[in-house]
Amino acid sequence: MSGLRSFVTRRLLLGAGQTAAVVLLVFALTDALPGDAAVALAGDQPDPARITAIRETLHLDRPAPERLADWAAGLLHGDFGTSLTSGRPVGQYLADGFGPTLLLAVLTLALLVPTGLGLGVLAARHEGRLADRLISSVTLAVYAVPEFALGVLLVTVFALKLAWLPPTAVGYGTDLIAQPAALVLPVVVLLSRPVCSLTRLVRASMIDALASPYAAHARRYGVPGARVRYLHALPNALAPAVQQLARTVDWLLCGVIVVEALFVIPGLGTVLLNAVAERDMPVVQGLAVVFGVLTVVLNLGADLLAHRLTPRAEVAA
């Protein structure tokens, strides 16, 4: 237990440092872009005097280290700051965008886990036979298609040609659960590549587990094949799958910008794109902190769960 506590402590400290580094990098890159929130607020043909006045009102004329220090001090008290373009609290932006993103992530995971595990186990059970070759070929082909290209193809076929589904979520607001038809295409696109990765990973892990000495020993003692597969081999094959799922959840919550932009879903990715376009630094910084903390927590949880599934293995720092 002391070793596990030491591991968790080191990972949390490392995660805090990584989050701070991400915030500094995002601040530096965004601050280096031409223009700022004052230019965005001044309009298409801005007057230099108006830009200067707006910059002074928003305190953008202060040195970057001072602005970063003030924001960090507020963050220690749970204050993410205020949007430069709208005056709304950054926390409200995060709350509004988190709902649609979380809904997409939950629906995708609800389909991903049983589909990926089921196909992986099926392919491993029929290793080298038709089912295995078919599953491996299809997953490899689907994984090779970028999300954007797949999304455009699905919209063209099912929304524009057949008119079965809406092409985007425009007009539905943030209450997407009341409009399930608008979620079908985004969820299919989000599911496409992760299910291929999980299937191939579970297949490889199951093949190794079924060929291990403990599985052969169980079969020699007359243990039924299904019991060997699901009670002995599958738990050991789940450790790498859990870590893959953690990376997938991290991507679903922090990196679905392309899908949200394609289907016009008002999630965190859309909030980030709008904030960068408007040079709204407090919103960008707040999202960077949320994404960093989510990444640290999810990966730490995956490591602990993988260690729980394979207690014989050492936890790697």
Side-chain angles (χ1 to χ4, degrees):
M1 291 298 295
S2 60
L4 186 60
R5 283 196 296 268
S6 176
F7 166 74
V8 172
T9 302
R10 290 198 305 271
R11 287 297 301 270
L12 288 176
L13 291 175
L14 179 62
Q18 291 171 334
T19 302
V22 167
V23 172
L24 289 173
L25 181 62
V26 169
F27 181 89
L29 292 176
T30 309
D31 196 61
L33 292 173
D36 53 23
V39 176
L41 290 172
D44 295 332
Q45 296 180 339
D47 179 17
R50 174 173 169 78
I51 294 177
T52 301
I54 295 175
R55 189 172 284 124
E56 291 176 355
T57 301
L58 299 177
H59 304 293
L60 296 176
D61 56 336
R62 299 171 58 196
E66 291 184 13
R67 288 184 278 120
L68 181 61
D70 288 346
W71 174 80
L75 188 63
L76 294 176
H77 299 87
D79 181 13
F80 285 92
T82 303
S83 169
L84 297 177
T85 57
S86 68
R88 296 170 58 201
V90 174
Q92 189 172 349
Y93 278 92
L94 300 178
D96 292 344
F98 192 71
T101 299
L102 181 62
L103 177 61
L104 288 176
V106 169
L107 292 175
T108 303
L109 284 175
L111 296 172
L112 171 63
V113 174
T115 304
L117 291 180
L119 290 176
V121 172
L122 180 62
R125 182 180 178 185
H126 300 281
E127 181 188 4
R129 287 181 274 180
L130 177 61
D132 179 27
R133 291 197 297 269
L134 182 61
I135 291 173
S136 298
S137 300
V138 171
T139 53
L140 181 61
V142 173
Y143 188 83
V145 181
E147 289 98 349
F148 184 81
L150 180 61
V152 171
L153 176 62
L154 293 178
V155 168
T156 303
V157 175
F158 293 101
L160 302 181
K161 296 288 186 181
L162 300 176
W164 289 353
L165 298 167
T168 67
V170 172
Y172 298 134
T174 57
D175 188 20
L176 296 177
I177 198 169
Q179 303 291 338
L183 296 171
V184 174
L185 294 182
V187 169
V188 170
V189 175
L190 289 175
L191 184 65
S192 59
R193 301 189 80 183
V195 76
C196 297
S197 299
L198 184 61
T199 297
R200 296 173 68 85
L201 183 61
V202 170
R203 173 192 177 275
S205 300
M206 278 292 293
I207 290 175
D208 289 342
L210 289 172
S212 62
Y214 65 84
H217 189 68
R219 285 191 290 266
R220 280 196 301 268
Y221 274 85
V223 178
R227 185 179 179 88
V228 173
R229 283 193 300 273
Y230 298 110
L231 295 183
H232 296 279
L234 185 58
N236 288 278
L238 284 179
V242 166
Q243 294 174 325
Q244 175 66 27
L245 281 174
R247 290 190 291 269
T248 300
V249 175
D250 181 25
W251 172 71
L252 287 172
L253 293 176
C254 308
V256 294
I257 298 175
V258 172
V259 175
E260 289 187 357
L262 177 62
F263 293 100
V264 198
I265 295 174
L268 292 178
T270 302
V271 172
L272 178 60
L273 284 177
N274 293 336
V276 171
E278 296 170 350
R279 307 296 190 269
D280 200 341
M281 283 300 303
V283 177
V284 175
Q285 292 168 340
L287 285 168
V289 170
V290 170
F291 292 163
V293 171
L294 282 174
T295 299
V296 171
V297 171
L298 288 171
N299 282 281
L300 177 60
D303 288 342
L304 294 177
L305 185 55
H307 178 67
R308 180 68 181 86
L309 290 170
T310 55
R312 294 182 303 275
E314 292 289 336
V315 176

